[in-house]
Amino acid sequence: MIKKEFLLTFKGLNSRTSLWLMRQAGRYLPEYRELRVKAKNFMDFCFNPELAAEATLQPIRRFGFDAAIIFSDILVIPYAFGQSVDFIEGVGPKLSSLPLVDILNSDRLIFENNKLLNVFKAIKIVKDQLPKEVSLIGFSGCPWTLACYMVDQGSSKDFFKTRLLAVTRPDLFQKLINILADAVFLYLKHQIEAGAEAVQLFDSWVGLLPPDGVWKWSISPVSSIISKLKNYYPSIPIIVFPKGNYQTYADNYHIHKADAISADTTVDFSKVKIASERPYVIQGNLDPFDLLGATSALKNKVDNTLKTMQGKKFIFNLGHGILPETPIDNVYRLVEQVKAT
Ligand code: CP3
């Protein structure tokens, strides 16, 4: 019988610790770098179903992770709202200016799901080729994090423009969050229909918000996305990654009802609730930098985590994306060590 250890973890029926790594497809792999040059830019790469499927499968072939995550980016949603998205080498993403205030006032911010059909195509290709014991994860950014990139038009250290808009025009900002929540729901629903067996919601910038902001702009829209998805697909696991705000999500599990919370590197696993006291799975949270250090230190750290989390509704992952500088041998060692538990 083929066992999907990753999915079984959500039912408490796994026979060992399962693992996958955030950004497991990427520049640390020579085969990824070779594939990446076949597209003229990063967005074309994401929207080429064959290339995206191949990038998804590369880390599975090499390491045998328990889950694959569809190769794409959270910024395909701003693109589907009509913003152009360019990834500039060494700088990061740059989004075109959208006269958001005017557009929101005139109800002209339209999500064109059709622009994302190639993501669903890529999911179908991956599903045909994925080993049967490996699960496929779909994903999206959360409304707050997407709003950050859309309003600030790219990466930023403090997302000043977004936070300014949220406090000076809260009604308008609420409208943007609501429109994004509808789009994220639709996008994830289509990913599940195409074959995604679980989904992860990335709220990478929720750590910037004060407590009332976390409620308004993160937990509230994320809860509505989750409850709408659960109406259609009650058994598809939903993971949230509230980077910088694990505790608020852990304390309010009964509100958002995600099946798993992905912990960032700041969370101390010796202090998290034991399995019988929480219905959700915890995922995480090795510091990606630990994969750049001495192998003995890495081994000890992973051992500690595995001991602390043994039998505790746990999926091994990183606390943030794998770094391009990561030595591949350390990833092989990590997979072997985790799979042995
Ligand atoms: O393997 C996987 O995890 C699936 C693919 C994936 C990518 N981005 C591919 C990617 C996923 C799940 C993401 C999520 C994502 N993208 C997030 C949320 C998680 C997080 O990191 O907080 C965010 C904020 C983005 C936006 C984004 N994409 C930025 C800011 C950048 C530039 C920084 C960088 O690392 O280069 C990207 C680019 C990006 N997305 C790359 C990859 C593999 C690197 C670009 C390349 O290969 O040329």
Side-chain angles (χ1 to χ4, degrees):
M1 235 263 288
I2 292 160
K3 289 177 88 183
K4 292 193 182 232
E5 292 289 349
F6 171 82
L7 289 180
L8 286 171
T9 308
F10 294 93
K11 298 182 175 156
L13 298 173
N14 54 309
S15 47
R16 58 165 174 81
T17 305
S18 64
L19 91 157
W20 67 282
L21 303 181
M22 286 193 264
R23 292 270 179 102
Q24 62 192 18
R27 286 167 294 191
Y28 75 110
L29 293 175
E31 61 270 34
Y32 173 88
R33 297 195 294 269
E34 226 171 83
L35 192 68
R36 173 72 182 76
V37 294
K38 294 189 180 169
K40 78 173 187 304
N41 59 54
F42 184 66
M43 288 301 267
D44 281 2
F45 186 53
C46 288
F47 284 129
N48 180 315
E50 285 76 28
L51 295 181
E54 178 59 21
T56 308
L57 291 162
Q58 283 177 340
I60 304 302
R61 289 196 201 103
R62 200 186 252 279
F63 303 114
F65 293 123
D66 295 297
I69 180 160
I70 189 65
F71 190 84
S72 185
D73 197 86
I74 64 162
L75 300 181
V76 297
I77 289 201
Y79 171 81
F81 273 107
Q83 256 177 316
S84 69
V85 181
D86 291 304
F87 283 85
I88 297 155
E89 194 70 47
V91 178
K94 284 273 168 247
L95 283 70
S96 63
S97 77
L98 256 196
L100 265 175
V101 171
D102 295 349
I103 292 178
L104 283 165
N105 273 327
S106 63
D107 290 319
R108 279 190 293 110
L109 191 65
I110 313 283
F111 176 60
E112 291 182 65
N113 187 58
N114 281 349
K115 286 190 167 173
L116 306 177
L117 295 181
N118 281 353
V119 177
F120 313 132
K121 268 194 198 163
I123 289 176
K124 290 192 177 121
I125 299 173
V126 172
K127 268 308 267 296
D128 280 345
Q129 296 186 26
L130 203 61
K132 294 293 168 246
E133 69 278 13
V134 181
S135 312
L136 179 59
I137 304 172
F139 75 90
S140 172
C142 292
W144 164 252
T145 291
L146 293 171
C148 281
Y149 286 100
M150 288 172 81
V151 176
D152 268 77
Q153 296 173 235
S155 299
S156 158
K157 65 175 189 320
D158 55 8
F159 289 98
F160 184 88
K161 281 160 70 178
T162 309
R163 291 155 79 189
L164 184 67
L165 185 68
V167 292
T168 53
R169 304 290 304 272
D171 294 347
L172 197 84
F173 195 71
Q174 182 71 60
K175 203 161 157 183
L176 175 60
I177 292 288
N178 294 349
I179 291 169
L180 286 169
D182 287 345
V184 170
F185 158 68
L186 208 64
Y187 180 47
L188 289 175
K189 182 169 173 279
H190 282 290
Q191 290 187 46
I192 295 167
E193 275 157 16
E197 299 167 279
V199 294
Q200 177 152 325
L201 279 154
F202 289 90
D203 219 350
S204 305
W205 297 107
V206 65
L208 292 174
L209 286 167
D212 64 322
V214 177
W215 276 102
K216 270 191 297 199
W217 314 130
S218 182
I219 293 190
S220 168
V222 167
S223 303
S224 95
I225 293 165
I226 293 174
S227 87
K228 278 161 80 182
L229 285 171
K230 289 286 177 194
N231 276 338
Y232 284 89
Y233 300 105
S235 58
I236 295 282
I238 301 174
I239 308 165
V240 284
F241 177 49
K243 185 168 171 274
N245 227 319
Y246 172 86
Q247 204 52 49
T248 315
Y249 268 79
D251 291 342
N252 294 289
Y253 158 78
H254 54 289
I255 307 283
H256 59 76
K257 296 200 171 79
D259 300 280
I261 306 176
S262 202
D264 63 63
T265 53
T266 64
V267 179
D268 180 350
F269 277 171
S270 69
K271 303 224 164 65
V272 300
K273 279 192 176 153
I274 60 167
S276 61
E277 286 172 3
R278 61 176 156 87
Y280 54 90
V281 169
I282 293 177
Q283 177 178 274
N285 79 342
L286 184 72
D287 188 338
F289 279 91
D290 284 323
L291 281 169
L292 308 187
T295 54
S296 55
L298 173 65
K299 186 172 180 303
N300 286 339
K301 187 144 176 183
V302 173
D303 255 341
N304 275 337
T305 299
L306 292 170
K307 266 190 209 122
T308 311
M309 298 305 276
Q310 199 179 11
K312 285 193 182 167
K313 294 185 199 151
F314 171 58
I315 293 166
F316 194 98
N317 205 315
L318 301 177
H320 201 200
I322 195 164
L323 297 160
E325 296 80 3
T326 304
I328 285 173
D329 280 348
N330 282 350
V331 182
Y332 282 115
R333 285 192 193 95
L334 174 70
V335 174
E336 195 186 339
Q337 192 181 352
V338 175
K339 280 194 164 182
T341 56

